[in-house]
Each structure stands twice: as C-alpha cells, then as structure tokens.
Amino acid sequence: MLAAVLCALLAVTPVEGKRYDAQAASSSDSSSSTTHTSKKSGSSSTKKPAPSTSHTTTSSKKPASATEKKTSTTTHHSATAPRGKKKYVSPAERRRRAARAHKIKLAFVASTELRPMAQQLATLRTPAAYAGVTSYAHAHSGEAAAAAYLALGHAYFLDKRYTDATASLHQAKQSGEELNDYADFLAAKANHEANQEAQADVLLKGFKEKYPDSIFVDEVPELEANVLLDLHDPAGARHVLDAAASDPAAGRPGYQLAAGLVAQAQNQNQDAVRIFKALLLAYPLSNEAASARARLTSLGAEDSLTSDELRTLGDAYYKAGHYEEAAEQYRSLAQKFNLDTQTRNGFAVAAAACDLKLKRLTESQASALADTPDENGARRLYLLMELARNRNDLDEQTQIVTRMETDFPQSQWLAEALFSSGNMYLLRKDYPRAAEYYTYLAEHFPSNKNAAAAHWRAGWLNYRLGNFKDAERIFDEQIHNFPGTTETASALYWRGRLYETQDHDLAKAAANYRTIVRVYQHFFYAQMARQRLTALGSTAPVSTPDLDQIKSADVPTLAETFPEDSPHLAKAKLLANAGLNDYIPREIAADPDSGSWSALAEAQIYASYGEAYRAMRALKRALPGAASASIQSIPLAYWHILFPEPYWTIIKAESAKNNLDPYLVASLIRQESEFNPSVISYANAWGLMQLLPSNGKALARQEGMTHFQTFQLLDPETNIRLGTRFLKQTLDKFGGVPEYALAAYNAGDSRVEDWQAAGPYSGIDEFVESIPFTQTREYVQAILRNIEIYREIDASTTTSASKVTSGR
C-alpha cells in the first residue's frame, strides 16, 4: 500500500486541494494570490470545524482514540470522471441510462414546488426555513418527500445536528430511491461525526457496488478507512484502501492521510512518516497537510523534513497569501541548528518580507538584516526600497535602486524594485522618471512577469510626453515581442494613431485598426478602432505579417442541447430542488460526455432559480475569452447567461425616469455585482449597484423615501431606483461624458478631477488609457464593452426570432 500511496502522490492528478510545484515557487513581494487553507489541527483540544457550506467535507480521526477531533476536508474540484474521447455505449446500456434518467426526471417534476423552500433552507437555515421544508416533507410522499428529507438532512449536518441529520436522511431513503447515494453517504458522514461508527460502517460497505455511478465513490474509501480505524480495525481499513489503490480515489489527499493513519495504527511508523511527509509537501495548503504535519510532530519526525522542504512549505504559504503562517515557518527555520549562514539569512529576509505584506515591518528591522552580496542582500534592499516608497522618501528610494543596479544587475528583486518605482512615479505624475524605470526593466528583464506591462507603460508615457519616435519604436516592439498579452490591443491602437498623426500612413493605420476589430471584437479599443476606420473612409489596409499572426482566442466546442438520457444531468436538476447546490457541478461533470455542454447545463440550473450571478460565473470560467469572440461564434443561450437581464423591467423604468441608457445601467450592474442583489463589498458597498449606506440615505431622502434603512439597499428595486439617480447625478457632474462618470463611480469624483487636470488629452480614448489605476481603467473599458455586447445580443436575438417567425 505504501508504494501505491507514494506513487499516487507523485503521479496522480490531484482531485482536491492544491498540488504545489516547488520549482514553480515564486516568493515575489510585489504580488500575491489568495487561496483557501485551514487552520492547523490535530490536537485533542481542537474543536471540530463546521462542515463547509460550499464544498463537500470528509473527516479523519485518530485510530483507536475518541479524544482526537475530526478535521474537515475540502473538495475543490468538481470533476469526478475524466473527459475525453467518447467511449462506446451499448444499446442496452443506453436504454438503461434513458430509463434511469426518466425516473429521475419524474422525481424532479414531483418535487418542483420544494425548490424555493429548500433553497432558502440551504442559505439561511433559520427555524422558519426548517419548518417550511419539514411541513412539505410531511405533506408529500415518494420522491418529493425524499428530496425534502434530504434537504433537511444536509442542513442539519451543516449545523452539526448529527442525530437529526441521520434521522432525516434515513427518511429520505425510505421515501424514494433516486438520491439514495446522497442519503447514505451523508448519513455515514453524520454518524462518523457523532461517533456512531458501526452505523456509518453499515452504510459504507458495498457503496461502490450499490451506487457505481455516484460522485461519492472516490471519497468512500478514505471515509470508510477512518470509520474502521475508530472501530479498532486497522487491518480492515488497510484492506479498503488497498482495494482502491489503483482508482482515482488514491490521488485524493484524504485517501493519503487515511493511509498514513492506517500505517501508524499498525505501528509501521516509518511508512507513516513517509506518507505524511509526502502528503505535506504535495498538498501544503490542504487541511490534510495540517493534520499530516501534526502527525509528524507527534511521531517526533518533523525534524526529518530538510531545510529545502521546509522552505518549500514557507514559499507555498507565502505564494498563497498566508503571510502569518509563512512568517512563522521562516522564523522557525532561521532558528534551526546546522544551517549555513546564507540559508539562515534567506529565512530571515523571507520572514521580513511577510512582515512587509502584513504592514508591520519597520526600517530598523529591515536594516538589521544581513547586508550580503547575494539574493538575500538584494531582497533586503528591495524591502528597504518599499519602506522608503511608503514614507515618500524619494531620495532614499532612488539611492537604493541605483545601488541595486550596480550590485545586483540580474536579480529578480531589482526587477521588482524597478516596477514598483515606476508605479510610484506614475502615480506622482512624474512621467519621465516612471518611463525611465519601466524602460530599464523591459530592456534588462525581458522574461520577467512584469516585462510586458512595463514595456507598454514606457511606450505610453513617451507618447504622453510627446516623444513620438520613441513611442512608435516601443509600440512596434510591443506588438512583435508580446503579441499575446493584454497590452497588445492598446499598442495596436496607439501605433495606429501615430501612423495617422505622425507618419501620415493611413494604410498602415487601417491595418492596425482592422486587426483590433478582427481579434478583439468587443474590447474598448475595438470600438475606438471602428470609429477611426469610419473616419478613414475607404482607405485600403496593407498586409503586415506581424499583424496577420495575431489571432483571436479559440472558442471551444459548445453544445446548445443536452442529452435526454444523462442520469447525472437529471440528478443535478433534482439536487437543485433539494437545495444541494454545491453538488450540482460535480454531478454534471460525472457524465463522461459532458465536456461540450456541462457549463451551460450548470449555468441554466442556477439561472432557473434566480441566481444569475452564479450562472454567469459558471460560464465565465468556461469561456474566459468571450469578450474577444463574435456573437455568432457562441450560441445565444450562452450569451444570455453571460450578459443577463434580470430586473430588466425595473432597469428600463428607472433608466427612463433618469434619462439613462438602460444598457448602461445593466452593464454597470454586471460589473459592480454580477447581478447578485445581496452582495456587500469589503468597502461596505451594498447591493446591485454597490451603493454606500451614506449615499443610499441621501438618495432616499431625495426620492422622498421615509424611514429608510441600510438593509433596503439589498432590495433590487430600491437599489436600482437609488443607483440610477446616483449614476445620473454623476453623469451630470461630468458633463454627460460616460467615461468620466464611470471612472468617478469606481474611484471617486476627486480622483477623476485630478486625472482630468493632468491633461490635456487629445480625446476621450487618451483619457481612458491615462487612468493610472489599472482596476478603474479596466472597469471603464469593461462597462463600455458590456453596453456594446448587450446591444448585439438583443439585436441577434431579434433577428433569430424573425427568422423563426418567417419560417427561414
């Protein structure tokens, strides 16, 4: 079993958690991403975490001991079956699938009225919500009652009411059969959490044979092994894991943790240490890794981790944005014996980098780090440079970067310092200094992650400074050297403008503009390019090899219809009736033929019960390049979810009242909240149009609304009513120019007034590109893009309807 587990850790694509590639680690201090991870667990004093409301959870317990609490395991991946070439399905099997799907569809129809109550229970789990679903369950029989009892059992499980959960899940199984795998698996988990292991064991034995198509098949071995360990049967647990050693289940961190626990229970401590260690290093951000580390500590084996392996863990925490954990790791490493000086210095400076991210690093602390002629010394200087920038000490910042250019000319930390310095001077409107730093970075670090952005900014600032020859050269280099980056459309457009205004080569300008329209159909610069082409009239473009090589992103094969005989799809719809939303994508993905239709099927289920935002996100994940695609290249069914029109009647009415374009309002809502009426942002902006409570109160007073309270901003009609008034006021304040108003809606009036003062600008396109905040600039461009796409979708829908009506 050990060999199989270690093989799985090295070769099996992970099903959940995050596999960490040490060679791909990048401990950059200038950027980070946030990835969920759990608190460390494994001690007897740790309370059981509440099961996740958005992921499937399993748990593990110390063998032969009731004192250690279980640790929740988060399942991140939705797919449970590989997709690829369709395998042959016999006619008999097709008939079986069709009959099964038909039975599930009947269950779906029978339980349709349950959906709103079950969805409310899944979201709120209030006494009233429980009462509503309970009443429905008592009033119905068959599959309708089964779905209701399953909804109750799942909700009770999330609330840690395990006895109630098992009772409801038992009733679900007694009432129907289409969701019995869910009833059995969730009941087994509830029994396990309640230390009712014998009952859990009964439910898990033979699960795969009873439910071969269940999405839980790969999770059962690890859960059953943990149950058997608690029944003091490590040999049985090993047998269960060995039986699944060649299955996808073996690639799960939960399986591997269970394997380590089994080895430990059988006093095979060396095997246990190897398994726990491999698990920790392969999935350092998973809950299982925290348990594995606690086990290594309890076995006295934490010291078996080498400094390089421990550094890998610290880097994983850092890269994931878990700076406290990373700092703790690095500081612990720095205290280790038998470290060479360079390694010890590296851990110390890495810990200081965490403190910088946590905004608690002081200049004296950074200065006290060892000043060495290696990457540690380069990083130390980078940290000091960031601190100088934070306190606006320009002389110190300049001196540090100059020293880094001399002492560390090839260091990644010099590249980071250059990009940060360029950004600082850009925000200070010192464009020559900013362009100098950006240029140095692009020339000396052409493969750096920020090279394309720095190169573009150098070109743009030269353009703004009137250094048109330099700008032309840089734009040409951008198009040739960085053809697949986000800045390509901008470079094409502004090189086209220079072809017009400086070179007077209208044919080359037209070629650039046509390339933008061809490749980036709905981008902001495609709109601008079409305007320029109209102005150029009949100018014929020239053919340019560099431009011909720029291609739009491929659109995957997308189906508009779904197979009638897919039991998994039918089951996913039934799960929506029961409020088990988080299992929907997994259930759909379990159909091996769902590759071309899974995203639309998932999205349409969400949309069917009013969650336009969840539906939109499902398709955004599937079609990240939709904005560059033509309307004709993607079926309209997808477009209507990517650009939905919920609350359209309210939007049109309030837009008309405020003399606004309803497409502008819908486009703004899409960008602000994705049509999620209950969202509250980190900045305390509320609802569809993301209004601050103070603005909401003032706007309500203007609208004559009495006794206004902030929670009313979560009401779609109220939010749109007040938000359209606010948008109209903002537009009026900025002369009716949408670009100014949208920038102000996002970043505030005073900032836009400051940016206007930094002009003059030759046109609104120049103002938009000059917005120094990337988030605000992309926000403005996205809303203008959304407006165009909304219009095209509606026009295409009207055309399609006309063709149907006319019989063509």
Side-chain angles (χ1 to χ4, degrees):
M1 181 177 70
L2 172 62
V5 171
L6 293 177
C7 180
L9 280 163
L10 294 172
V12 175
T13 301
V15 177
E16 65 177 25
K18 281 187 175 285
R19 176 177 286 279
Y20 183 71
D21 183 351
Q23 293 183 347
S26 174
S27 299
S28 170
D29 290 315
S30 62
S31 65
S32 66
S33 61
T34 302
T35 306
H36 171 74
T37 190
S38 67
K39 296 180 180 178
K40 293 181 180 179
S41 60
S43 69
S44 59
S45 62
T46 304
K47 292 184 178 179
K48 281 186 282 190
S52 168
T53 59
S54 59
H55 301 288
T56 304
T57 58
T58 62
S59 54
S60 64
K61 297 198 291 184
K62 181 177 178 180
S65 172
T67 61
E68 182 173 358
K69 302 300 181 181
K70 299 121 187 170
T71 302
S72 172
T73 298
T74 303
T75 298
H76 295 274
H77 290 249
S78 60
T80 58
R83 294 180 190 165
K85 190 174 180 180
K86 289 186 177 182
K87 64 179 182 180
Y88 171 74
V89 180
S90 68
E93 174 62 15
R94 286 200 175 277
R95 287 193 295 272
R96 186 193 72 81
R97 288 179 54 177
R100 174 98 168 110
H102 179 69
K103 289 179 66 178
I104 298 174
K105 289 176 185 177
L106 293 177
F108 168 78
V109 172
S111 60
T112 299
E113 293 180 357
L114 169 66
R115 181 185 298 191
M117 290 180 281
Q119 292 292 336
Q120 184 183 46
L121 175 61
T123 303
L124 302 176
R125 302 205 299 280
T126 60
Y130 274 111
V133 177
T134 300
S135 177
Y136 180 95
H138 292 166
H140 291 76
S141 60
E143 297 296 347
Y149 284 121
L150 183 65
L152 289 167
H154 185 247
Y156 284 133
F157 181 86
L158 295 176
D159 283 339
K160 300 184 183 180
R161 295 168 59 179
Y162 301 123
T163 301
D164 291 332
T166 55
S168 293
L169 293 167
H170 177 74
Q171 287 179 293
K173 188 174 179 180
Q174 292 297 309
S175 300
E177 60 180 33
E178 302 308 333
L179 294 173
N180 279 1
D181 61 324
Y182 282 80
D184 276 355
F185 183 75
L186 294 174
K189 288 177 65 178
N191 278 309
H192 181 50
E193 292 289 341
N195 297 315
Q196 301 298 317
E197 309 299 352
Q199 292 90 324
D201 187 42
V202 170
L203 292 167
L204 294 172
K205 284 206 180 302
F207 188 95
K208 184 175 181 179
E209 289 69 32
K210 283 187 290 184
Y211 311 113
D213 298 326
S214 175
I215 65 171
F216 300 117
V217 163
D218 290 341
E219 295 178 57
V220 165
E222 65 203 59
L223 179 57
E224 188 173 1
N226 281 299
V227 166
L228 290 169
L229 285 173
D230 282 345
L231 290 171
H232 311 291
D233 185 7
R238 175 182 285 273
H239 176 75
V240 167
L241 294 178
D242 283 348
S246 60
D247 296 340
R252 294 174 53 85
Y255 175 99
Q256 295 151 17
L257 179 61
L261 294 173
V262 169
Q264 186 180 1
Q266 294 186 315
N267 295 317
Q268 298 170 352
N269 288 347
Q270 287 187 336
D271 287 351
V273 166
R274 283 194 289 269
I275 294 171
F276 290 140
K277 185 176 174 179
L279 169 58
L280 174 62
L281 295 173
Y283 299 92
L285 303 180
S286 67
N287 296 336
E288 293 84 359
S291 296
R293 189 160 195 174
R295 289 290 175 167
L296 287 172
T297 301
S298 70
L299 289 166
E302 177 132 4
D303 288 342
S304 68
L305 290 163
T306 67
S307 295
D308 286 342
E309 289 169 341
L310 290 168
R311 176 62 183 262
T312 295
L313 292 176
D315 290 347
Y317 299 145
Y318 186 93
K319 188 176 181 182
H322 304 154
Y323 302 120
E324 287 284 6
E325 292 176 82
E328 178 185 348
Q329 182 71 60
Y330 293 137
R331 286 198 173 87
S332 175
L333 283 165
Q335 302 303 315
K336 276 185 167 288
F337 297 106
N338 302 323
L339 291 179
D340 61 78
T341 301
Q342 184 178 25
T343 300
R344 193 181 306 280
N345 290 340
F347 293 144
V349 76
C354 297
D355 289 339
L356 178 70
K357 288 290 188 180
L358 295 167
K359 304 186 187 311
R360 66 190 185 197
L361 182 67
T362 66
E363 184 182 6
S364 61
Q365 290 171 334
S367 298
L369 297 167
D371 188 358
T372 55
D374 54 19
E375 279 296 279
N376 297 329
R379 194 175 191 183
R380 169 184 176 272
L381 287 177
Y382 167 75
L383 297 176
L384 286 167
M385 189 284 301
E386 287 290 359
L387 292 172
R389 175 184 173 179
N390 290 346
R391 63 177 184 271
N392 292 315
D393 189 340
L394 304 187
D395 290 339
E396 181 72 7
Q397 172 271 328
T398 301
Q399 291 173 14
I400 292 173
V401 176
T402 300
R403 180 185 166 188
M404 293 182 76
E405 291 172 355
T406 302
D407 294 352
F408 305 102
Q410 296 180 329
S411 172
Q412 64 164 322
W413 301 112
L414 171 58
E416 297 291 343
L418 291 166
F419 195 65
S420 179
S421 297
N423 291 343
M424 177 185 72
Y425 285 106
L426 174 63
L427 294 174
R428 296 178 67 87
K429 303 185 184 67
D430 187 343
Y431 301 142
R433 291 290 299 278
E436 177 185 339
Y437 284 116
Y438 289 140
T439 300
Y440 192 104
L441 168 57
E443 290 178 351
H444 290 79
F445 299 92
S447 299
N448 183 269
K449 67 179 186 290
N450 294 317
H455 190 271
W456 161 249
R457 293 179 190 181
W460 176 246
L461 293 177
N462 273 287
Y463 177 95
R464 292 281 288 121
L465 291 166
N467 302 326
F468 296 127
K469 288 299 180 185
D470 287 338
E472 287 181 350
R473 173 182 56 80
I474 295 172
F475 292 161
D476 285 336
E477 291 172 353
Q478 189 82 28
I479 295 164
H480 183 269
N481 297 334
F482 304 101
T485 62
T486 56
E487 296 83 10
T488 303
S490 306
L492 285 166
Y493 179 79
W494 290 105
R495 185 62 180 99
R497 294 302 305 269
L498 289 174
Y499 277 133
E500 286 191 73
T501 60
Q502 299 299 309
D503 301 340
H504 307 293
D505 191 336
L506 303 187
K508 285 187 177 179
N512 275 31
Y513 298 147
R514 289 185 186 279
T515 300
I516 297 170
V517 172
R518 171 175 59 82
V519 179
Y520 309 99
Q521 295 208 15
H522 298 114
F523 278 36
F524 168 75
Y525 279 117
Q527 299 176 36
M528 297 295 102
R530 280 190 282 270
Q531 293 180 16
R532 296 311 310 153
L533 286 169
T534 299
L536 292 177
S538 58
T539 301
V542 296
S543 176
T544 307
D546 267 2
L547 301 186
D548 294 339
Q549 293 176 7
I550 301 175
K551 306 293 184 183
S552 57
D554 291 334
V555 176
T557 301
L558 301 171
E560 291 184 81
T561 58
F562 314 127
E564 292 292 323
D565 63 348
S566 171
H568 288 291
L569 177 56
K571 202 171 195 178
K573 295 178 179 179
L574 180 56
L575 289 171
N577 284 1
L580 272 67
N581 304 335
D582 300 315
Y583 298 96
I584 289 172
R586 294 180 61 196
E587 194 64 60
I588 293 173
D591 188 315
D593 299 330
S594 64
S596 65
W597 51 263
S598 60
L600 181 61
E602 180 187 347
Q604 286 187 344
I605 291 173
Y606 299 144
S608 71
Y609 55 82
E611 290 196 347
Y613 64 93
R614 195 191 289 254
M616 186 195 307
R617 289 172 188 168
L619 288 194
K620 277 185 175 182
R621 290 191 299 270
L623 295 169
S628 61
S630 68
I631 296 298
Q632 293 71 30
S633 67
I634 297 175
L636 280 173
Y638 290 79
W639 285 117
H640 284 305
I641 290 175
L642 283 166
F643 291 83
E645 295 179 350
Y647 320 114
W648 188 237
T649 301
I650 302 170
I651 289 172
K652 287 198 296 183
E654 295 299 329
S655 296
K657 189 171 76 175
N658 289 282
N659 196 26
L660 294 171
D661 178 358
Y663 289 114
L664 169 61
V665 175
S667 298
L668 183 144
I669 292 174
R670 184 185 188 274
Q671 209 62 27
E672 286 284 351
S673 65
E674 295 184 323
F675 290 94
N676 182 353
S678 60
V679 67
I680 302 174
S681 77
Y682 68 91
N684 199 34
W686 289 53
L688 291 171
M689 298 185 72
Q690 288 290 276
L691 298 173
L692 294 172
S694 57
N695 286 340
K697 185 175 182 180
L699 293 162
R701 192 180 308 114
Q702 296 168 19
E703 282 283 311
M705 297 172 60
T706 58
H707 310 297
F708 174 81
Q709 297 185 57
T710 298
F711 74 83
Q712 292 176 263
L713 292 174
L714 300 182
D715 171 63
E717 185 168 358
T718 300
N719 193 283
I720 294 170
R721 178 182 175 186
L722 301 181
T724 49
R725 173 180 276 269
F726 182 63
L727 178 58
K728 173 61 174 174
Q729 291 174 355
T730 307
L731 270 166
D732 290 345
K733 188 179 297 182
F734 289 96
V737 179
E739 290 81 359
Y740 294 149
L742 293 172
Y745 200 101
N746 178 261
D749 295 355
S750 61
R751 287 197 177 101
V752 174
E753 290 165 355
D754 182 50
W755 299 336
Q756 287 176 315
Y761 304 102
S762 62
I764 199 64
D765 50 0
E766 196 168 307
F767 168 80
V768 171
E769 187 58 56
S770 297
I771 294 173
F773 293 174
T774 300
Q775 194 271 343
T776 301
R777 183 173 62 255
E778 292 177 350
Y779 172 90
V780 172
Q781 293 180 353
I783 292 177
L784 296 173
R785 172 207 68 197
N786 292 351
I787 294 171
E788 179 176 281
I789 294 177
Y790 267 118
R791 292 189 190 284
E792 288 193 33
I793 292 171
D794 281 1
S796 184
T797 301
T798 300
T799 300
S800 297
S802 298
K803 289 180 179 179
V804 171
T805 302
S806 62
R808 286 185 289 165

